[in-house]
Amino acid sequence: LESQITEQTKEFEEKRVEASEKLEVVNQEIEELRKKLAEAEEKAATLNNELSSYNGSIQSVRSKYSRQLGRLEKKERSVKESRAEWQVEHESVEKAKVAHESVVAAHSEEMLTREKIIEEIKVEVSVAHDFEDIVTSAFDATEFIGDGNQAFDGDVLKYEAAVDEANNNVISAESTIQSLQGELSTFDVR
């Protein structure tokens, strides 16, 4: 009976021995892996301690310079704000510059126009003075005394009226010149 059992279980016995050997090999591998795991865990613990030490050193150095870093950040913000203010002021100055240039151009144009008007007025004043001299010398009323000179009296009155009008034009032109000179002096003051 035993031999029959042995015979029938021989194949299973061989497989069992083979499986047992394989199990032994696997158990050895597991044991080696456990040793390696323990070594790796020990290394990890050492590295963690080392890392904590380095982090502490880094934090110590950072805290040592934290005030300086804070001041630098504050200065950086201040510089940014100043730059923004400068940009606004620069744009404002540029706008004022453009406005000033247009005012100067308009003023120059007004000055040219004024100079032309003054020259025209001077010419008119000169012509009026010349006309007054001609009229007064040509039509001196003391030369023409008598009854036949009544026609000349009417002409003399017309010319005297013309002279008065010319004198009024001269006075008006002179007051215009004075007011333009007053304006010019205010522009020069600016």
Side-chain angles (χ1 to χ4, degrees):
L1 196 62
E2 201 52 50
S3 76
Q4 263 185 345
I5 291 175
T6 304
E7 182 107 0
Q8 287 181 7
T9 60
K10 182 177 177 186
E11 184 180 333
F12 297 121
E13 193 64 40
E14 288 173 3
K15 287 184 180 181
R16 185 177 84 167
V17 169
E18 188 179 322
S20 176
E21 289 173 0
K22 286 181 182 179
L23 177 63
E24 186 67 30
V25 169
V26 168
N27 281 337
Q28 285 178 356
E29 287 177 6
I30 289 172
E31 194 57 39
E32 287 176 19
L33 289 173
R34 282 186 179 149
K35 286 179 184 177
K36 285 182 181 179
L37 177 65
E39 288 174 8
E41 285 177 342
E42 189 176 317
K43 273 186 180 179
T46 302
L47 290 173
N48 274 335
N49 287 340
E50 209 173 309
L51 184 64
S52 293
S53 169
Y54 295 145
N55 284 338
S57 297
I58 289 171
Q59 192 60 35
S60 170
V61 170
R62 281 196 181 278
S63 68
K64 180 179 171 182
Y65 291 102
S66 67
R67 286 184 186 165
Q68 292 172 345
L69 287 173
R71 277 184 260 155
L72 284 175
E73 288 172 2
K74 188 176 180 180
K75 285 182 181 180
E76 185 178 0
R77 280 192 304 270
S78 175
V79 166
K80 285 180 181 178
E81 290 170 1
S82 295
R83 183 172 296 275
E85 289 173 6
W86 177 86
Q87 189 66 31
V88 168
E89 286 181 23
H90 179 70
E91 290 171 3
S92 174
V93 166
E94 286 299 317
K95 287 178 184 176
K97 179 181 172 185
V98 169
H100 175 70
E101 287 172 356
S102 68
V103 166
V104 166
H107 175 67
S108 297
E109 199 172 304
E110 287 175 8
M111 292 301 291
L112 288 174
T113 304
R114 179 187 166 278
E115 289 297 321
K116 287 178 185 176
I117 290 172
I118 288 174
E119 288 302 316
E120 290 172 3
I121 290 172
K122 285 180 180 178
V123 169
E124 287 182 20
V125 167
S126 174
V127 168
H129 282 300
D130 291 345
F131 182 68
E132 179 183 12
D133 292 342
I134 291 170
V135 169
T136 55
S137 67
F139 297 104
D140 191 3
T142 58
E143 293 178 16
F144 303 105
I145 299 176
D147 292 333
N149 293 327
Q150 287 182 354
F152 287 118
D153 286 343
D155 288 340
V156 168
L157 288 176
K158 276 197 299 187
Y159 289 124
E160 283 180 350
V163 167
D164 286 340
E165 186 177 337
N167 282 334
N168 287 337
N169 285 343
V170 168
I171 291 169
S172 172
E174 287 175 346
S175 79
T176 303
I177 288 172
Q178 287 177 350
S179 71
L180 289 174
Q181 285 175 338
E183 286 181 28
L184 176 62
S185 67
T186 60
F187 284 129
D188 290 340
V189 168
R190 286 186 198 163

